[in-house]
């Protein structure tokens, strides 16, 4: 993607969200800026690396569980999966929120290959070594009104934000001022990469994963270079991963019912809620959805990519 399209940091949008910084063309919590810079300056990708990229609330936790299960299926049978005792976020670290937190310089010496990482950063903000190596990127997106609703539930699950009106959350998204937003720029960055170089970036949609998890897992495994053999398919290995990583299974594991993540200040249960496509109709008025859809459609127009509102 042409980096010239990135607005400079002094071209700030007019509205401003407290504790957020407009940095390299996207909004993020101000405390993340040094981490991002450190990641951009120091991370050295390896050709075998796999990077899971997503905007918050688009299916990250699910994608982490699936990718981890696919890549580690020969090391750990599902009956003995580390996912049974660790939340997916503790097994697949974020560059900007975990690995490079507080100016850390992570030591990757003991990380087994292929290394699996995650990020909420826009494509243009990735370390150059990821773009220039053969490292592969798996991106997931989701119908944006569902993302708004999911984000609002996530935010209001914390006592200090418990009374945040959904209208304020909605307006923040309309302005594109949400974390790692604007939503449309995030999607477009990875969409353009996936169409220009489909062997480098796989573009997934949450709704399609819900509709056909087995097909999408197979697709992911092939893309990541770890395809299922015919024998594995016949024995139902893909179905087992789909079932193991389903919302109902992960949500009901003891580790995900209570307690905190080891790597971030978050409750493990805060990443699992309804996991439905179209839940937004229960929280946003039709006129609000229409307004937001028009904004998103306008921003995506000409890209060849659209969201299909499901309800
Ligand atoms: P994150 O970016 O903070 O990690 P993320 O995992 O992207 O969040 O999104 C959370 C959403 O994914 C939640 O959606 P909801 O609020 O609409 O319910 C959560 O329920 C859903 N989710 C989590 N795990 C799964 C899963 N295994 N299958 C399907 N959806 C899931």
């Amino acid at each position: 993607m042409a980096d010239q399209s990135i607005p400079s940091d002094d071209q700030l949008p007019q509205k401003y969200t407290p504790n957020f910084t407009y940095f390299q063309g996207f909004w993020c919590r101000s405390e993340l800026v040094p981490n991002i810079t450190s990641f951009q300056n120091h991370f050295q990708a390896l050709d075998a690396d796999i990077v899971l990229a997503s905007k918050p609330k688009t299916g990250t936790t699910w994608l982490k569980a699936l990718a981890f299960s696919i890549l580690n299926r020969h090391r750990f049978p599902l009956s003995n999966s580390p996912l049974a005792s660790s939340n997916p976020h503790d097994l697949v670290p974020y560059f900007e929120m975990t690995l490079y937190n507080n100016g850390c310089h992570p030591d990757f010496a003991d990380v087994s290959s292929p290394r699996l990482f995650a990020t909420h950063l826009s494509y243009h903000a990735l370390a150059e070594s990821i773009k220039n190596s053969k490292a592969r990127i798996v991106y997931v997106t989701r119908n944006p009104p569902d993302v708004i609703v999911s984000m609002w539930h996530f935010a209001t699950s914390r006592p200090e934000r418990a009374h945040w009106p959904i209208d304020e959350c909605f307006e923040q998204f309309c302005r594109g001022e949400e974390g790692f937003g604007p939503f449309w720029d995030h999607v477009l960055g990875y969409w353009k990469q996936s169409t220009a170089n489909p062997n480098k970036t796989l573009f997934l949609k949450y709704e399609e994963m819900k509709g056909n998890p087995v097909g999408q897992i197979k697709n992911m495994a092939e893309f990541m270079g770890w395809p299922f053999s015919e024998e594995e398919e016949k024995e139902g290995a893909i179905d087992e991963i789909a079932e193991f990583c389903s919302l109902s299974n992960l949500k009901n594991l003891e580790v995900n019912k209570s307690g905190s993540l080891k790597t971030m200040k978050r409750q493990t249960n805060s990443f699992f809620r309804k996991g439905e496509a179209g839940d937004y109709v229960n929280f946003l008025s039709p006129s609000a959805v229409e307004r937001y859809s028009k904004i998103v459609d306008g921003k995506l127009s000409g890209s060849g990519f659209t969201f299909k509102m499901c309800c």
Side-chain angles (χ1 to χ4, degrees):
M1 189 177 127
D3 273 9
Q4 302 90 292
S5 64
I6 303 167
S8 67
D9 297 340
D10 53 8
Q11 292 174 292
L12 278 171
Q14 297 207 319
K15 302 265 183 177
Y16 175 69
T17 304
N19 306 324
F20 270 40
T21 297
Y22 190 64
F23 178 66
Q24 298 181 349
F26 62 92
W27 288 93
C28 66
R29 292 204 317 272
S30 308
E31 73 213 41
L32 295 182
V33 169
N35 307 359
I36 296 168
T37 309
S38 188
F39 157 64
Q40 291 173 337
N41 290 339
H42 300 292
F43 180 69
Q44 289 304 318
L46 301 177
D47 286 343
D49 286 350
I50 292 172
V51 177
L52 308 179
S54 61
K55 188 109 175 356
K57 304 299 146 202
T58 57
T60 321
T61 313
W62 192 13
L63 190 67
K64 285 184 176 188
L66 290 173
F68 183 90
S69 300
I70 293 168
L71 294 178
N72 288 290
R73 66 187 190 270
H74 301 305
R75 289 174 68 203
F76 310 109
L78 284 176
S79 54
N80 196 25
S81 172
L83 282 161
S85 50
S86 296
N87 180 281
H89 292 288
D90 282 336
L91 294 173
V92 186
Y94 287 109
F95 290 120
E96 67 280 5
M97 291 188 285
T98 321
L99 291 169
Y100 288 89
N101 205 12
N102 296 323
C104 283
H105 285 274
D107 180 3
F108 297 113
D110 293 333
V111 181
S112 60
S113 178
R115 305 184 305 179
L116 188 57
F117 300 112
T119 186
H120 282 324
L121 290 171
S122 315
Y123 178 81
H124 72 255
L126 296 181
E128 286 302 310
S129 67
I130 295 177
K131 301 176 193 174
N132 298 333
S133 65
K134 290 186 180 152
R136 277 169 267 202
I137 300 167
V138 182
Y139 183 73
V140 65
T141 190
R142 184 180 187 187
N143 261 352
D146 276 334
V147 175
I148 297 175
V149 168
S150 185
M151 177 51 81
W152 177 73
H153 278 101
F154 184 71
T156 53
S157 69
R158 285 188 299 176
E160 65 271 27
R161 309 238 33 207
H163 302 294
W164 193 33
I166 194 164
D167 290 355
E168 276 186 25
C169 178
F170 175 77
E171 291 299 331
Q172 195 185 48
F173 270 78
C174 286
R175 298 192 301 268
E177 284 184 19
E178 79 283 5
F180 303 97
F183 192 94
W184 41 86
D185 286 345
H186 204 280
V187 173
L188 278 179
Y190 287 98
W191 171 250
K192 286 180 186 169
Q193 289 306 316
S194 73
T195 52
N197 192 350
N199 295 325
K200 172 85 179 168
T201 302
L202 177 68
F203 191 94
L204 300 173
K205 295 180 197 162
Y206 182 89
E207 294 74 20
E208 290 181 359
M209 289 165 66
K210 294 270 308 172
N212 179 13
V214 169
Q216 295 297 336
I217 292 169
K218 193 173 164 182
N219 191 14
M220 273 177 75
E222 275 165 21
F223 173 83
M224 295 193 298
W226 291 71
F228 289 92
S229 66
E230 270 184 35
E231 199 182 346
E232 283 185 295
E233 276 198 55
K234 269 192 215 138
E235 286 170 357
I238 309 182
D239 304 73
E240 283 171 18
I241 289 179
E243 172 53 31
F244 185 82
C245 297
S246 67
L247 177 64
S248 56
N249 186 59
L250 293 184
K251 190 176 182 170
N252 286 312
L253 295 171
E254 280 309 314
V255 64
N256 296 325
K257 281 189 185 165
S258 62
S260 305
L261 291 180
K262 296 183 195 100
T263 51
M264 289 188 292
K265 283 186 202 149
R266 269 293 180 183
Q267 294 297 109
T268 57
N269 62 11
S270 62
F271 297 94
F272 307 96
R273 195 180 64 90
K274 268 192 189 172
E276 282 176 6
D279 188 36
Y280 64 82
V281 295
N282 299 312
F283 296 91
L284 300 173
S285 69
S287 61
V289 175
E290 192 185 339
R291 184 177 146 214
Y292 188 66
S293 298
K294 274 191 187 152
I295 296 173
V296 175
D297 288 350
K299 299 287 185 183
L300 298 184
S301 92
S303 70
F305 178 71
T306 50
F307 285 100
K308 269 191 239 137
M309 296 303 156
C310 38
C311 309

